[in-house]
Amino acid sequence: QVQLVESGGGLVQAGGSLRLSCAVSGRTFSNYAMGWFRQAPGKEREFVAAISGSAGSTTSSDSVKGRFTISRDNAKNTVHLQMNSLKPEDTAVYYCALRWGASRTYAGGYNYWGHGTQVTVSS
């Protein structure tokens, strides 16, 4: 049974920072690609960032490039999303996701999901 549990969300002022974490259990973590997605009210779930398995190559959406950084700690079965220079438009529920093989930038490419953590950025 694979479980993904996000943490680290909260309320922050514009320009501030948050660090999200996603703890994974039930799989050999280093074999799997991990992704972060977000969903704002009334909008579709959108890709934020992804990181491959052992190689650790990363990709991110244009909207967060230069502000958000994805990283992973395979020894701790954890993936992080460091979010800097936050904007009100970053407000959303953030989800982590897992898939076998190379990372993907679309939600349908992932097999397992966490329940999400709320990030709210005030102006």
Side-chain angles (χ1 to χ4, degrees):
Q1 183 76 9
V2 179
Q3 288 189 320
L4 288 73
V5 179
E6 302 95 337
S7 61
L11 173 64
V12 64
Q13 288 188 330
S17 298
L18 282 174
R19 188 190 195 211
L20 304 184
S21 297
C22 175
V24 179
S25 61
R27 284 289 186 272
T28 304
F29 181 67
S30 61
N31 293 340
Y32 291 84
M34 300 295 300
W36 283 99
F37 291 77
R38 66 186 182 187
Q39 189 165 17
K43 294 187 177 181
E44 294 187 353
R45 192 167 298 190
E46 68 168 339
F47 170 74
V48 176
I51 187 167
S52 66
S54 57
S57 59
T58 64
T59 185
S60 59
S61 69
D62 289 342
S63 62
V64 307
K65 200 158 293 185
R67 300 188 298 123
F68 292 11
T69 302
I70 188 171
S71 62
R72 66 190 297 155
D73 184 340
N74 288 338
K76 296 184 178 180
N77 283 17
T78 303
V79 62
H80 302 286
L81 184 68
Q82 178 66 45
M83 305 187 295
N84 299 328
S85 302
L86 282 160
K87 305 175 182 179
E89 52 263 44
D90 294 319
T91 295
V93 177
Y94 283 70
Y95 298 89
C96 68
L98 176 152
R99 74 179 305 276
W100 172 261
S103 63
R104 294 288 184 266
T105 60
Y106 53 93
Y110 289 80
N111 306 106
Y112 297 96
W113 292 82
H115 292 294
T117 185
Q118 176 71 47
V119 171
T120 303
V121 184
S122 63
S123 56

